[in-house]
Each structure stands twice: as structure tokens, then as C-alpha cells.
Amino acid sequence: KSTAVRNIDGSINNIKEDDEEDVVDLAANSLLNKLIRQSLVESSHRVEVLQKDPSSPLYSVKTFEELRLKEELLKGIYAMGFNRPSKIQEMALPMMLAHPPQNLIAQSQSGTGKTAAFVLAMLSRVNALELFPQCLCLAPTYELALQTGRVVEQMGKFCVDVQVMYAIRGNRIPRGTDITKQIIIGTPGTVLDWCFKLKLIDLTKIRVFVLDEADVMIDTQGFSDHSVRIQRALPSECQMLLFSATFEDSVWHFAERIIPDPNVIKLRKEELTLNNIRQYYVLCEHRKDKYQALCNIYGSITIGQAIIFCQTRQNAKWLTVEMIQDGHQVSLLSGELTVEQRASIIQRFRDGKEKVLITTNVCARGIDVKQVTIVVNFDLPVKQGEEPDYETYLHRIGRTGRFGKKGLAFNMIEVDKLPSLMKIQDHFNSSIKQLNAEDMDEIE
Ligand code: ADP
């Protein structure tokens, strides 16, 4: 059995459950990303565009003014602190706001401005004086739907007569109720019920249909089919938009099935490198010994902020208890916590209230570790059969070349793990120097 987990860069990893004890699902990690996100994710890549009609001119905008938005919407955008469109928005917004409307499939890692873009499209197409659902947005979970709704509320702060309603489980509306809100955000199952069983939404009046987090959506049983059933009942002039953080073949097939005649926009993610990272290892006998070595370098790692990785949840817990008993201030980020609790620990860490975070792989995949300058592998990431897990090593330690800071990485290595470490060194063609933990002067 394996579980899909989203990395911080939006890519998806399938993690075997017996490899790893903390398991986070895609939707939960996506939510975590949203809860802790503070700003746009940068990218040095160009946006790739595939137009449905290659002969039509391709517009891009450098300012929000160029979009000729309603006054109150522009005010909302500036009130959110946005100065100019993000990279993906530069290309996507003119297409999304074009007359006649154009369909769009857009893929870029989380944090690049997709949600803000489609919320803007919905708000600009809504007619506040018409009191029935006009925009429909599908999200994979209740919590993700609420997050999107918050963006609508923020951006639409000055669009006073525009209102949002949530088609999510638990929001019980009697059959045949006259819904007067213009924007509906919900999960596919409930939306389907609202449309066909309860007759609350007239799909033929929908102008903008958004399918968000398509990759998470297809990962959830039944959601693709629900979405397709909803989409089939939409009028042909309805604008259809699909967003995804990743683009495996499965997402692509689904997108093509559900979005007719689309324009396609892609922004490739930044590659991770180990170029700016000085890597060390300390050779140890056993776990207690690794612990001692960690304590020896503790003074050096707390100069900045550090994340310590353990392979299992138990190990992480053990290490946390030991360190706290020895008077070190550390906090534990564990998969046992709810997404909200995890977000709050990450927030404290980001605010500098915590200096050292102990965690397992899966948990940390949701964290933007840009500010972390020191990473400790208390356990080397290995797959079954002791084969090194190169990808996880890179994810823990690597930084994106252009935007990443310099960093330090320490590996606590039991003697029998040394061959695995050497394989990692060869694989990345980068040197990992041995360190004598008693003599920290060796760290340059
Ligand atoms: P995605 O949907 O791709 O994950 P979001 O739309 O949620 O990205 O944007 C990520 C973060 O960047 C959010 O905090 C959002 O408020 C902010 N953001 C989005 N667009 C802009 C912009 N043009 N300028 C500044 N910040 C932006």
C-alpha cells in the first residue's frame, strides 16, 4: 500500500506506508501549504503557452490596470497587497477575462497565484444584481473549499452585493430552496446532490466553472466522475477552467476529458540543487552515539534555524524527549497532529519562536524550508533494502539554485549506513566531508 504525498514544490511522491510511519494525504498537504503560505513562489522559468487558436494574438499584462477591471475589484486586489500580476497571472488573466470567454487548463506549482487568478475571473464575470448561482468552483475537500472562499471574500471585499455559498457536506439546504448567492464553492459529491437531487443549482445558468486542484481531485474516489457529470450539464458558452499543481498523464487525460477546446498554460517548477550546500557526516556507533554527536553540534546548528529529520515517527519522538530532557529547546512536528496544529507549529518556527524542528519526511514535505539554513539527517533517508532514497535526500537538503540561500547539512551515520551515504555522494556528484563531532572548527 502506498500513499501519495505532495512535496513542497508541488510534485507528488508515492510513499510506501511501511517505509514511513507518518502519512499525509494530498489534500491535507495542499491545505497545509495554503495555511502557511505567505507570499508568491518565485520561478525563473518562462510560462509556456499553448493556444487553442495559435493564430490569435497572445496577450500578457504587467499591471492589473491593463485588465480594465471593475473599480471595486481592483480595490480588492490592491487591498490584498498585490502590486502586479504573478508570472502565471500575466498570461492567464488576459485569457481568462477575454471576450468571448476562453477555456483554460493551467498547471504550476502551488503558491504561484492560480487561486487568486480564478477568483479574479469569477468576480469579474459575476453580475451582482442577478440573484442566482453564476460561478461554480469545485474543490477536493471541505477545508480547501473554505480556503478558496476566503480568497473570494477578501478579493471581493468591495464587491458588496456578491456573495459566496458553500456546497459542502453538513451544509444542509432544503430541496428547492431559492439560492440567491452568485458564487458556489463545493466538493463534487455535494455539488452533484445540490444540482440533481435537491435542485438547488440550475447548471444552465453557470457562466464560470472552475475545477481546482485537479490532481488531488482525481486522487479521490468518485470525484472525477462527479465532476464530469456536473460539467456535462453546463451550457456550451460557460467558461471552463482547470488548475493543477502537477501534470502527470492521469491529470492530463482528465483535463482533456473535462475542458473543451482549452488554452494551456504551464509554468515549470524550479529544480533543486545541492550546489550551495556544504554537506558533512559524523560517523557513529549507534543511536545514543548519534544523539551525542547531535548535542555536540547543537551550538553550531542553533546559530540559524534547523530541521532535524528522522526516518520514523517513534525515532522523532524519542529524539525530542531526549533533547528536551537535556534542556534543549526543540519542537516536534508529527503526523499525529491535525493539519491546523501542524500549520501552527510551522508558523511558530517561521516566526523564529522555535529554532529547531524535529520531524519525519512526510510531515516536512509540506514545509517551505527556504529560511532553514541547517538540515540534520538524524537518520539517512533509505528505501526498503537499505537503498538510499536520493529524492528524499534532495528534498530535505536541496535548494532552488537561484532563490535558495547557502546551507549546511549534517548526516549522522551509523557505520553500516556509510555505503549508502557514499552512494548518495556519487549520485549527486557532490562531496560530503567527514566531521569529527568533538572538533567543530572543521566546519568552514
Ligand atoms: P496557488 O493557487 O497557485 O497555490 P495562490 O493564488 O494561493 O497560489 O497564491 C499564493 C500566495 O501568493 C497567496 O498568499 C496569495 O495571496 C499571493 N498572491 C497571489 N497573487 C499575487 C500577486 N499578484 N501579487 C502578490 N501576491 C500574490
Tab-separated table of all heavy atoms in Angstrom, residues 22 35 88 97 115 125 149 156 158 166 206-207 234 268 288 298 312-313 316 343 383 391 400 413:
chain	number	residue	atom	x	y	z
A	22	ASP	N	4.639	8.276	9.234
A	22	ASP	CA	3.752	9.414	9.115
A	22	ASP	C	3.259	9.498	7.692
A	22	ASP	O	4.040	9.588	6.765
A	22	ASP	CB	4.502	10.711	9.430
A	22	ASP	CG	4.616	10.910	10.911
A	22	ASP	OD1	3.879	10.248	11.648
A	22	ASP	OD2	5.443	11.725	11.324
A	35	LEU	N	-2.272	27.122	4.305
A	35	LEU	CA	-2.303	27.741	5.623
A	35	LEU	C	-1.001	28.468	5.950
A	35	LEU	O	-0.998	29.464	6.651
A	35	LEU	CB	-2.598	26.694	6.703
A	35	LEU	CG	-3.999	26.087	6.680
A	35	LEU	CD1	-4.119	24.971	7.711
A	35	LEU	CD2	-5.049	27.151	6.947
A	88	ILE	N	2.398	33.598	-13.694
A	88	ILE	CA	1.348	32.839	-14.381
A	88	ILE	C	0.135	33.730	-14.654
A	88	ILE	O	-0.513	33.614	-15.693
A	88	ILE	CB	0.988	31.554	-13.600
A	88	ILE	CG1	0.078	30.635	-14.423
A	88	ILE	CG2	0.348	31.824	-12.256
A	88	ILE	CD1	0.590	29.239	-14.473
A	97	LEU	N	-10.076	36.533	-18.920
A	97	LEU	CA	-11.007	37.664	-18.935
A	97	LEU	C	-11.429	38.046	-20.348
A	97	LEU	O	-12.170	38.998	-20.559
A	97	LEU	CB	-10.373	38.868	-18.238
A	97	LEU	CG	-9.979	38.613	-16.776
A	97	LEU	CD1	-9.274	39.824	-16.192
A	97	LEU	CD2	-11.194	38.256	-15.930
A	115	THR	N	-5.024	30.360	-7.604
A	115	THR	CA	-6.291	30.632	-6.925
A	115	THR	C	-6.697	32.092	-7.095
A	115	THR	O	-7.836	32.394	-7.458
A	115	THR	CB	-6.176	30.302	-5.419
A	115	THR	OG1	-5.686	28.968	-5.292
A	115	THR	CG2	-7.515	30.425	-4.720
A	125	ARG	N	-16.706	38.230	-13.661
A	125	ARG	CA	-17.803	37.805	-14.543
A	125	ARG	C	-19.155	37.765	-13.862
A	125	ARG	O	-20.179	37.578	-14.501
A	125	ARG	CB	-17.499	36.419	-15.116
A	125	ARG	CG	-16.336	36.450	-16.097
A	125	ARG	CD	-16.522	35.447	-17.205
A	125	ARG	NE	-15.323	35.333	-18.013
A	125	ARG	CZ	-15.115	36.016	-19.128
A	125	ARG	NH1	-16.027	36.865	-19.564
A	125	ARG	NH2	-13.998	35.851	-19.805
A	149	GLY	N	-12.934	30.101	-0.626
A	149	GLY	CA	-13.995	31.045	-0.275
A	149	GLY	C	-13.431	32.270	0.437
A	149	GLY	O	-13.884	33.395	0.207
A	156	GLY	N	-13.155	40.123	-2.970
A	156	GLY	CA	-14.444	40.728	-3.299
A	156	GLY	C	-14.967	41.636	-2.200
A	156	GLY	O	-16.156	41.970	-2.182
A	158	PHE	N	-14.937	44.684	-1.686
A	158	PHE	CA	-15.645	45.901	-2.110
A	158	PHE	C	-16.763	45.622	-3.117
A	158	PHE	O	-17.460	46.526	-3.545
A	158	PHE	CB	-14.657	46.920	-2.674
A	158	PHE	CG	-13.570	47.277	-1.687
A	158	PHE	CD1	-12.313	46.700	-1.780
A	158	PHE	CD2	-13.827	48.158	-0.635
A	158	PHE	CE1	-11.314	47.008	-0.861
A	158	PHE	CE2	-12.841	48.466	0.289
A	158	PHE	CZ	-11.587	47.892	0.187
A	166	TYR	N	-21.294	27.746	0.299
A	166	TYR	CA	-20.508	26.518	0.287
A	166	TYR	C	-21.375	25.287	0.121
A	166	TYR	O	-22.251	25.025	0.944
A	166	TYR	CB	-19.691	26.406	1.574
A	166	TYR	CG	-18.712	27.543	1.719
A	166	TYR	CD1	-19.016	28.652	2.501
A	166	TYR	CD2	-17.497	27.516	1.044
A	166	TYR	CE1	-18.131	29.712	2.618
A	166	TYR	CE2	-16.603	28.569	1.155
A	166	TYR	CZ	-16.922	29.665	1.941
A	166	TYR	OH	-16.041	30.699	2.042
A	206	ILE	N	-24.844	28.701	-15.195
A	206	ILE	CA	-23.461	28.916	-14.736
A	206	ILE	C	-22.619	29.505	-15.871
A	206	ILE	O	-22.636	29.009	-16.994
A	206	ILE	CB	-22.833	27.589	-14.234
A	206	ILE	CG1	-23.622	27.036	-13.034
A	206	ILE	CG2	-21.355	27.762	-13.872
A	206	ILE	CD1	-23.543	27.861	-11.765
A	207	ARG	N	-21.872	30.567	-15.555
A	207	ARG	CA	-21.018	31.243	-16.559
A	207	ARG	C	-19.559	30.851	-16.442
A	207	ARG	O	-18.805	30.881	-17.411
A	207	ARG	CB	-21.064	32.758	-16.358
A	207	ARG	CG	-22.396	33.321	-16.584
A	207	ARG	CD	-22.341	34.847	-16.593
A	207	ARG	NE	-23.723	35.267	-16.611
A	207	ARG	CZ	-24.266	36.016	-15.667
A	207	ARG	NH1	-23.544	36.489	-14.690
A	207	ARG	NH2	-25.545	36.308	-15.729
A	234	LEU	N	-23.453	21.708	-18.066
A	234	LEU	CA	-23.210	23.153	-18.198
A	234	LEU	C	-23.522	23.617	-19.615
A	234	LEU	O	-23.410	22.835	-20.554
A	234	LEU	CB	-21.743	23.462	-17.878
A	234	LEU	CG	-21.294	23.200	-16.430
A	234	LEU	CD1	-19.776	23.245	-16.342
A	234	LEU	CD2	-21.921	24.213	-15.481
A	268	ARG	N	6.929	25.615	-15.392
A	268	ARG	CA	7.713	24.517	-14.820
A	268	ARG	C	8.268	24.898	-13.457
A	268	ARG	O	8.538	26.057	-13.185
A	268	ARG	CB	8.856	24.138	-15.763
A	268	ARG	CG	8.390	23.149	-16.816
A	268	ARG	CD	9.557	22.545	-17.517
A	268	ARG	NE	10.241	23.562	-18.323
A	268	ARG	CZ	11.545	23.588	-18.520
A	268	ARG	NH1	12.320	22.689	-17.953
A	268	ARG	NH2	12.081	24.526	-19.278
A	288	LYS	N	22.392	6.206	20.442
A	288	LYS	CA	22.847	7.061	21.544
A	288	LYS	C	24.038	7.916	21.111
A	288	LYS	O	24.176	9.077	21.493
A	288	LYS	CB	23.247	6.205	22.755
A	288	LYS	CG	22.087	5.908	23.690
A	288	LYS	CD	21.949	7.020	24.719
A	288	LYS	CE	20.675	6.852	25.530
A	288	LYS	NZ	20.212	8.128	26.101
A	298	TYR	N	25.097	20.952	18.482
A	298	TYR	CA	23.888	21.735	18.754
A	298	TYR	C	24.148	23.240	18.762
A	298	TYR	O	23.403	24.024	18.184
A	298	TYR	CB	23.253	21.294	20.084
A	298	TYR	CG	21.910	21.933	20.333
A	298	TYR	CD1	20.762	21.435	19.730
A	298	TYR	CD2	21.799	23.064	21.141
A	298	TYR	CE1	19.544	22.027	19.932
A	298	TYR	CE2	20.573	23.670	21.346
A	298	TYR	CZ	19.445	23.146	20.742
A	298	TYR	OH	18.234	23.746	20.937
A	312	THR	N	11.519	7.563	11.264
A	312	THR	CA	10.216	7.116	11.754
A	312	THR	C	9.670	8.073	12.809
A	312	THR	O	10.408	8.836	13.428
A	312	THR	CB	10.292	5.721	12.409
A	312	THR	OG1	11.124	5.819	13.567
A	312	THR	CG2	10.835	4.673	11.467
A	313	ARG	N	8.378	7.961	13.000
A	313	ARG	CA	7.698	8.778	13.980
A	313	ARG	C	8.235	8.502	15.389
A	313	ARG	O	8.445	9.411	16.175
A	313	ARG	CB	6.220	8.416	13.906
A	313	ARG	CG	5.307	9.439	14.473
A	313	ARG	CD	3.910	8.912	14.504
A	313	ARG	NE	3.199	9.159	13.256
A	313	ARG	CZ	1.890	8.961	13.131
A	313	ARG	NH1	1.183	8.509	14.149
A	313	ARG	NH2	1.297	9.209	11.996
A	316	ALA	N	11.573	10.116	15.972
A	316	ALA	CA	11.421	11.566	16.125
A	316	ALA	C	10.954	11.898	17.539
A	316	ALA	O	11.453	12.834	18.169
A	316	ALA	CB	10.415	12.097	15.101
A	343	ALA	N	0.238	23.402	11.031
A	343	ALA	CA	0.417	24.741	10.457
A	343	ALA	C	0.868	25.711	11.542
A	343	ALA	O	1.718	26.571	11.301
A	343	ALA	CB	-0.877	25.221	9.820
A	383	LYS	N	15.354	3.627	1.318
A	383	LYS	CA	14.162	2.875	0.920
A	383	LYS	C	14.297	1.487	1.515
A	383	LYS	O	15.286	1.182	2.168
A	383	LYS	CB	14.107	2.789	-0.602
A	383	LYS	CG	13.876	4.123	-1.241
A	383	LYS	CD	13.743	3.951	-2.731
A	383	LYS	CE	13.466	5.292	-3.366
A	383	LYS	NZ	13.771	5.316	-4.776
A	391	GLU	N	15.890	10.930	-3.810
A	391	GLU	CA	14.910	12.005	-3.999
A	391	GLU	C	14.601	12.710	-2.674
A	391	GLU	O	14.538	13.929	-2.594
A	391	GLU	CB	13.637	11.398	-4.586
A	391	GLU	CG	12.752	12.393	-5.248
A	391	GLU	CD	11.447	11.759	-5.693
A	391	GLU	OE1	11.373	10.507	-5.753
A	391	GLU	OE2	10.515	12.503	-5.962
A	400	THR	N	16.498	25.638	-4.366
A	400	THR	CA	16.442	26.028	-5.766
A	400	THR	C	17.604	26.964	-6.038
A	400	THR	O	17.875	27.863	-5.241
A	400	THR	CB	15.117	26.725	-6.099
A	400	THR	OG1	14.987	27.848	-5.239
A	400	THR	CG2	13.945	25.794	-5.891
A	413	ILE	N	25.650	9.251	10.791
A	413	ILE	CA	25.717	7.989	10.054
A	413	ILE	C	26.221	6.846	10.929
A	413	ILE	O	27.330	6.909	11.463
A	413	ILE	CB	26.687	8.151	8.846
A	413	ILE	CG1	26.171	9.224	7.895
A	413	ILE	CG2	26.878	6.839	8.115
A	413	ILE	CD1	24.874	8.887	7.220
